[in-house]
Amino acid sequence: MASDFEVQLRAASLRVTRPRLAVLGALRDHAHVDTDTVISLVRAELPRVSHQAVYDVLRALTTAGLVRRIEPAGAAARYELRVGDNHHHLVCRSCGMIADVDCAVGEAPCLTASDDHGFVIDEAEVVYWGTCPDCTNQRSAQ
């Protein structure tokens, strides 16, 4: 019986390969990870996979809409499996931890631009910046 990942890959017209399955598995278990972390996680399962292979897989999965790439200002790109729901993110200014935040109000794209300049808006990207509870508690303890 095919795994959910195999079904998703085939539905996106992508071949099912061990590196693609390994990347999807890594992202299932570790949301909001950067490329180097994905490479390390994949290499735990497939020790001989190349950096380039993982980069290629991430690009293909992102292009196919199976993976979302987020790029918080001043940080390395991160990847997650949560796609298609136009959720937003909280980013800790201190440690860089990222957490998902559901859309605050309304339907996608969640926010109505004050002037759409004729664009057909289909997505809004909101990043909330602050300090996570762990970093806040650390500062309080000092």
Side-chain angles (χ1 to χ4, degrees):
M1 184 163 175
S3 73
D4 288 343
F5 290 147
E6 290 172 355
V7 171
Q8 290 175 341
L9 288 167
R10 288 187 180 108
S13 299
L14 294 174
R15 286 183 346 187
V16 176
T17 65
R18 292 184 71 206
R20 286 178 178 161
L21 292 172
V23 168
L24 289 168
L27 295 177
R28 175 195 57 220
D29 298 336
H30 305 275
H32 309 121
V33 291
D34 62 17
T35 307
D36 289 338
T37 303
V38 174
I39 291 168
S40 295
L41 293 166
V42 169
R43 282 193 169 159
E45 184 177 335
L46 303 172
R48 295 196 322 234
V49 73
S50 70
H51 278 72
Q52 189 61 49
V54 174
Y55 282 108
D56 292 345
V57 167
L58 287 168
R59 187 177 315 106
L61 296 175
T62 301
T63 300
L66 298 177
V67 168
R68 182 175 178 189
R69 175 185 166 120
I70 60 170
E71 297 181 62
R78 306 289 184 96
Y79 296 89
E80 64 180 344
L81 289 183
R82 188 172 169 187
V83 297
D85 67 350
N86 198 45
H87 69 280
H88 308 303
H89 296 96
L90 291 163
V91 180
C92 180
R93 291 185 188 278
S94 183
C95 69
M97 183 190 84
I98 299 175
D100 290 333
V101 177
D102 289 331
C103 189
V105 294
E107 296 179 22
C110 300
L111 301 176
T112 302
S114 60
D115 183 353
D116 64 18
H117 298 276
F119 283 62
V120 176
I121 299 172
D122 60 15
E123 183 178 0
E125 185 173 316
V126 175
V127 177
Y128 300 96
W129 292 87
T131 307
C132 73
D134 289 345
C135 291
T136 300
N137 290 338
Q138 261 185 330
R139 285 185 185 166
S140 297
Q142 293 176 357

